[in-house]
Amino acid sequence: MLSKLLRHEFRATGRIMLPVYALLLVSCGGCTLFGRLLGRYPESTVLSVVQTVFATLFGVTTFGMLLLTLVLMVYRFYKNLMTDEGYLMFTLPVESWKIVLAKALAAVLMIHISLIVGIFSIGILAGELTFLKAVPGFLAECFKLIGAGFKEDAGMTVHVILFFLEGLLAMIAAWFATVYHFYLAMALGQLAGNHRVAFSVLAYVGISSVFSIIMTALLQTYPLWEPVLERMDMTAAIHVTGCAFLLWQVFQILTEALGTEYLLKHHLNLE
């Protein structure tokens, strides 16, 4: 059932975001093309106007893509779970946490796709897509370096790979924590009846403040751990730091996910 929910979310978000991605690529391509033509014919007023139009369209579309990615994440959760559609969604033969998870997965994926499309469009705008051609060679070189590293110092190579994986997992976890942060704030906001939006904003700030207080309290315990860290070598200390950051993100995700699940199950107030 989770896979069906994911397909539904991807289709719903894709219908909106794919045209935006296409418009962004067309606008940056047009801006690049007419910019080159203007370089050859600098006195052409028509080319100057068209190039300005494409440049403006590119800027507006870029900002719109980033804003729409955020708005769509919030809107899909609110519309499907906080309005009349919630009556239908919560009659599905699936746990509510899976419904929320499907939305979170789709949101995180769309965030990364938007970032990739944004980077790609900047490459087109700069007229330099050689970085795309260099990607296969870069990956091949990375594998060569890893192979050589295992031959020279297998232990350190393993540490480097683990550093990378820890950073990647922490980044993905941070995005999920951000998405669930919004979800929990909206789940709290729906308790306020006619003042949902204002209370959701206050809830978002309040949740951030609570986590900041917890983080500050944890940092105050550093003197207790300092002797242990000082006895570690550099690689172990980096692993501990990376894992601690990852665990912090996981703690936020679990807290926000469980809080959202509890509110949706026991205190749901549909419009």
Side-chain angles (χ1 to χ4, degrees):
M1 192 63 184
L2 180 60
S3 61
K4 293 182 179 179
L5 291 171
L6 284 171
R7 286 198 297 270
H8 174 72
E9 287 297 321
F10 291 149
R11 283 197 298 265
T13 54
R15 282 195 298 267
I16 298 174
M17 294 304 299
L18 289 179
V20 176
Y21 295 150
L23 180 60
L24 179 65
L25 295 176
V26 169
S27 63
C28 68
C31 186
T32 301
L33 174 62
F34 284 97
R36 290 183 175 181
L37 291 176
L38 188 61
R40 294 184 179 182
Y41 309 100
E43 298 179 357
S44 175
T45 304
V46 175
L47 290 176
S48 178
V49 171
V50 174
Q51 199 270 344
T52 301
V53 170
F54 272 109
T56 303
L57 180 62
F58 173 74
V60 172
T61 308
T62 301
F63 177 76
M65 178 188 70
L66 299 175
L67 181 62
L68 187 59
T69 302
L70 174 62
V71 171
L72 192 59
M73 172 186 71
V74 174
Y75 176 74
R76 289 288 304 168
F77 182 86
Y78 177 80
K79 186 174 185 293
N80 293 157
L81 302 181
M82 302 295 173
T83 63
D84 290 341
E85 288 190 16
Y87 291 107
L88 176 61
M89 292 297 294
F90 289 112
T91 57
L92 296 175
V94 60
E95 295 91 340
S96 56
W97 69 267
K98 289 185 179 180
I99 297 175
V100 178
L101 177 60
K103 294 185 178 301
L105 287 169
V108 171
L109 180 62
M110 295 310 296
I111 288 171
H112 285 87
I113 292 176
S114 294
L115 292 174
I116 293 171
V117 172
I119 294 172
F120 184 76
S121 63
I122 292 174
I124 295 177
L125 187 64
E128 296 291 340
L129 292 180
T130 54
F131 71 94
L132 292 178
K133 298 178 182 178
V135 169
F138 173 76
L139 293 176
E141 188 63 26
C142 287
F143 284 116
K144 288 181 181 178
L145 289 175
I146 292 174
F150 273 113
K151 291 180 180 179
E152 295 184 8
D153 191 342
M156 181 55 67
T157 303
V158 171
H159 282 303
V160 172
I161 294 174
L162 289 176
F163 292 153
F164 172 78
L165 293 177
E166 289 164 6
L168 180 62
L169 289 175
M171 181 189 70
I172 295 173
W175 280 118
F176 274 101
T178 300
V179 171
Y180 273 106
H181 193 142
F182 278 99
Y183 290 170
L184 179 57
M186 285 186 285
L188 288 169
Q190 55 93 28
L191 300 175
N194 295 329
H195 304 285
R196 296 182 175 211
V197 176
F199 197 77
S200 294
V201 174
L202 291 176
Y204 186 92
V205 175
I207 295 167
S208 300
S209 300
V210 170
F211 281 126
S212 296
I213 293 171
I214 295 174
M215 173 59 76
T216 301
L218 291 174
L219 290 176
Q220 295 300 317
T221 65
Y222 176 74
L224 299 176
W225 302 96
E226 187 176 7
V228 178
L229 292 174
E230 288 180 347
R231 288 195 294 270
M232 295 181 179
D233 58 22
M234 182 62 69
T235 55
I238 294 175
H239 281 307
V240 170
T241 303
C243 291
F245 181 74
L246 177 59
L247 288 175
W248 171 247
Q249 300 300 327
V250 172
F251 169 75
Q252 292 184 77
I253 293 171
L254 291 176
T255 303
E256 293 160 348
L258 291 174
T260 303
E261 167 73 7
Y262 175 80
L263 291 169
L264 292 180
K265 182 176 291 187
H266 300 286
H267 299 282
L268 186 62
N269 180 24
L270 298 176
E271 287 187 345

